[in-house]
Amino acid sequence: MAELPKNDIADLALAQQGKARIEWADRSMPVLRQIRDRFAVERPFEGVKIAACMHVTTETANLMRALAAGGAQLALAASNPLSTQDDTAAALVAEYGISTFARNGVDRDGYYAHINAALDGAPHYVFDDGCDLVNTLHTTRTEVLPSVRGGCEETTTGVIRLRQMSKDGALRFPMVAVNDTDTKHMFDNRYGTGQSTLDAIFRATNTLLAGKTVVVAGYGYCGRGVSSRAKGLGANVVVTEIDPTKALDAAMDGFRVLPMIEAAAIGDVFITVTGNRDVLRREHFEAMKDGAIFANSGHFDIEIDIRALTELAVAGPRRVRHQTDEYVLADGRRLLLLAEGRLVNLGAAEGHPAAVMDMSFADQALTAEWLTKNWQSLAPGVHDVPLEIDKEVARLKLETMGLAIDVLTPAQEEYLNSWEHGS
Ligand SMILES: NC(=O)c1ccc[n+]([C@@H]2O[C@H](COP(=O)([O-])OP(=O)(O)OC[C@H]3O[C@@H](n4cnc5c(N)ncnc54)[C@H](O)[C@@H]3O)[C@@H](O)[C@H]2O)c1
């Protein structure tokens, strides 16, 4: 048997099961598959080392396969302790020969040990999902910085952190905001988070949404997806916001808009997707009904103040179902926290459907290829993905869906590029 790549995973015996699931996801990722086939021929990553900190799911495994087909030497660490699929991690190591550091349920020290292990190989490029790897590089692993030419960031929260680093003059290499492409946030954040967040709530609680009041905190891309899907299932959706334009958007989409303190008293299910901290806190728990369920689908486990909940409760947390912890208040009310407040769609379900990640990871793969050719001309800071990549991913996705669109006539093109024509 060939020597295995460096790894720290839970159970190699799960490799076959992981491989079968990775191949299943691959069936719904035709765009990434086309890119993988091209990479296998053109080998754009020959001699290139990439360290990634991403959710270790079947879809990520297919991104790693595409990069490996292009010749990259990879090291993958998990970007969340609860999202790791142990069978996927096993298959990555045993079936695809990819160095992987990820175990479901690791503690904080284990989480950072894995990120550090991925950085040990002195990567040329970094792929991040939430900015923990880039943050580690700039704080405790600065000796690795000279090898890094650039990287990509996958999520809204990571891009916000990177922009702050850049503003403070701290960011030492170019990072490309993959999250900001239309083909990522308009689909992954909206349709992916929308569907998989509800999927996770069902898997954890098997609750019926029809007729229930669902409170969605944050009406950004993710919040819009969650709200419209909950409405489609018959829930009465209440939106909370801090941004007047987003609140107006929610109101005109037909949702009730309330401050959280008022929503807290009437909600049956609460979902936070803000990227902000303490969105559900003590005064909200005190107002909630018996049996209220709450979950976070924002990137970090800071949106629900679990410390305040623990202090308020007289009993709990007690695990009552899959990823469902019950806290009992002094008057007997039971409050139910899902996935320990970590992003619920990856903690209690499998994350986004592969068909959506097909686009996000096609963006990642093409951006990585573009970076290998352009890193020297990019200043340290946050950069946009070139529009051509975004449009190419949309074009390929449409093609794989069997959909055709119109093309501009010469007269239309001339009209759009002129200013002389009036009424
Ligand atoms: N679960 C997943 O798989 C997944 C997928 C994509 C993004 N994310 C994460 O979800 C979060 C939201 O992403 P997005 O793309 O929707 O961001 P976004 O910036 O489009 O939307 C966030 C919204 O939250 C609002 N907000 C901020 N603080 C608030 C508060 N205290 N109360 C109510 N609303 C508040 C903002 O005004 C904004 O409208 C980020 O952390 C992102 O990284 C998760």
Side-chain angles (χ1 to χ4, degrees):
M1 194 172 141
E3 202 184 323
L4 293 176
K6 283 192 183 138
N7 69 82
D8 182 28
I9 60 160
D11 187 359
L12 266 183
L14 298 173
Q16 279 304 318
Q17 177 187 311
K19 183 169 188 256
R21 291 201 318 110
I22 291 166
E23 287 174 355
W24 173 257
D26 187 54
R27 293 188 199 188
S28 299
M29 304 182 86
V31 177
L32 188 61
R33 203 161 56 238
Q34 277 186 36
I35 294 169
R36 182 174 80 219
D37 291 346
R38 179 171 66 76
F39 281 178
V41 176
E42 297 178 4
R43 305 279 290 174
F45 306 115
E46 203 70 71
V48 166
K49 290 187 280 183
I50 299 176
C53 176
M54 306 183 85
H55 299 293
V56 179
T57 61
T58 54
E59 294 79 17
T60 302
N62 282 317
L63 172 62
M64 295 298 122
R65 289 174 70 194
L67 299 171
Q73 191 184 315
L74 296 159
L76 172 66
S79 62
N80 184 300
L82 278 191
S83 64
T84 297
Q85 298 166 359
D86 285 326
D87 58 353
T88 301
L92 277 164
V93 171
E95 298 292 329
Y96 301 108
I98 292 168
S99 203
T100 304
F101 306 94
R103 289 167 178 264
N104 188 290
V106 284
D107 59 13
R108 194 173 185 279
D109 289 347
Y111 174 76
Y112 278 102
H114 286 159
I115 290 181
N116 276 295
L119 289 174
D120 285 344
H124 299 119
Y125 299 98
V126 291
F127 280 31
D128 218 347
D129 188 339
C131 193
D132 277 349
L133 184 137
V134 170
N135 190 280
T136 303
L137 257 173
H138 285 77
T139 50
T140 54
R141 294 301 301 275
T142 50
E143 85 285 2
V144 182
L145 278 170
S147 71
V148 181
R149 300 170 184 166
C152 312
E153 170 55 53
E154 170 76 5
T155 197
T156 313
T157 284
V159 172
I160 291 170
R161 292 178 82 191
L162 286 170
R163 288 200 198 286
Q164 286 307 325
M165 284 180 78
S166 184
K167 208 167 103 190
D168 290 349
L171 186 59
R172 296 270 300 276
F173 48 77
M175 283 294 291
V176 185
V178 171
N179 177 74
D180 294 356
T181 56
D182 287 345
T183 44
K184 198 278 181 182
H185 66 258
M186 277 172 60
F187 301 91
D188 170 318
N189 299 26
R190 198 156 93 195
Y191 301 103
T193 310
Q195 177 170 314
S196 60
T197 297
L198 297 188
D199 175 21
I201 292 171
F202 298 146
R203 290 194 201 197
T205 64
N206 199 22
T207 195
L208 178 73
L209 279 198
K212 296 268 172 62
T213 298
V214 173
V215 180
V216 180
Y219 203 66
Y221 283 98
C222 294
R224 284 154 69 194
V226 173
S227 301
S228 66
R229 266 130 207 87
K231 182 180 179 181
L233 286 162
N236 301 305
V237 178
V238 173
V239 169
T240 73
E241 253 297 344
I242 46 99
D243 179 311
T245 320
K246 299 288 181 67
L248 207 51
D249 193 19
M252 295 211 185
D253 280 343
F255 299 113
R256 192 171 172 197
V257 175
L258 287 175
M260 184 57 90
I261 195 63
E262 289 176 37
I266 59 171
D268 297 297
V269 177
F270 296 80
I271 301 161
T272 58
V273 262
T274 69
N276 205 350
R277 61 177 301 164
D278 305 333
V279 178
L280 284 178
R281 48 185 188 267
R282 188 181 176 108
E283 67 251 42
H284 305 132
F285 304 134
E286 282 172 337
M288 283 180 188
K289 298 195 287 195
D290 180 36
I293 293 167
F294 36 95
N296 167 49
S297 215
H299 190 78
F300 286 119
D301 57 342
I302 49 164
E303 305 211 9
I304 299 171
D305 187 351
I306 298 172
R307 184 182 293 188
L309 177 64
T310 311
E311 283 167 10
L312 188 65
V314 294
R318 183 170 73 92
R319 180 78 25 133
V320 290
R321 269 182 69 97
H322 168 62
Q323 291 296 342
T324 306
D325 292 328
E326 183 179 83
Y327 292 76
V328 183
L329 305 192
D331 63 2
R333 273 176 296 156
R334 290 156 303 177
L335 304 185
L336 299 158
L337 170 68
L338 307 190
E340 299 164 26
R342 297 188 188 278
L343 74 189
V344 71
N345 58 334
L346 283 137
E350 293 174 66
H352 296 356
V356 158
M357 296 316 291
D358 190 28
M359 285 190 280
S360 308
F361 287 165
D363 282 321
Q364 288 275 15
L366 295 180
T367 301
E369 181 186 32
W370 177 80
L371 261 178
T372 60
K373 295 176 187 151
N374 294 283
W375 66 276
Q376 275 164 314
S377 60
L378 297 173
V382 183
H383 297 263
D384 288 334
V385 173
L387 188 61
E388 310 83 74
I389 290 182
D390 205 358
K391 292 291 173 201
E392 174 67 359
V393 171
R395 193 190 63 74
L396 288 171
K397 190 69 179 177
L398 273 176
E399 196 177 282
T400 63
M401 291 169 78
L403 301 174
I405 57 171
D406 287 327
V407 285
L408 290 171
T409 65
Q412 287 172 336
E413 193 154 1
E414 192 270 330
Y415 175 76
L416 290 177
N417 288 313
S418 66
W419 55 270
E420 293 91 347
H421 303 280
S423 56

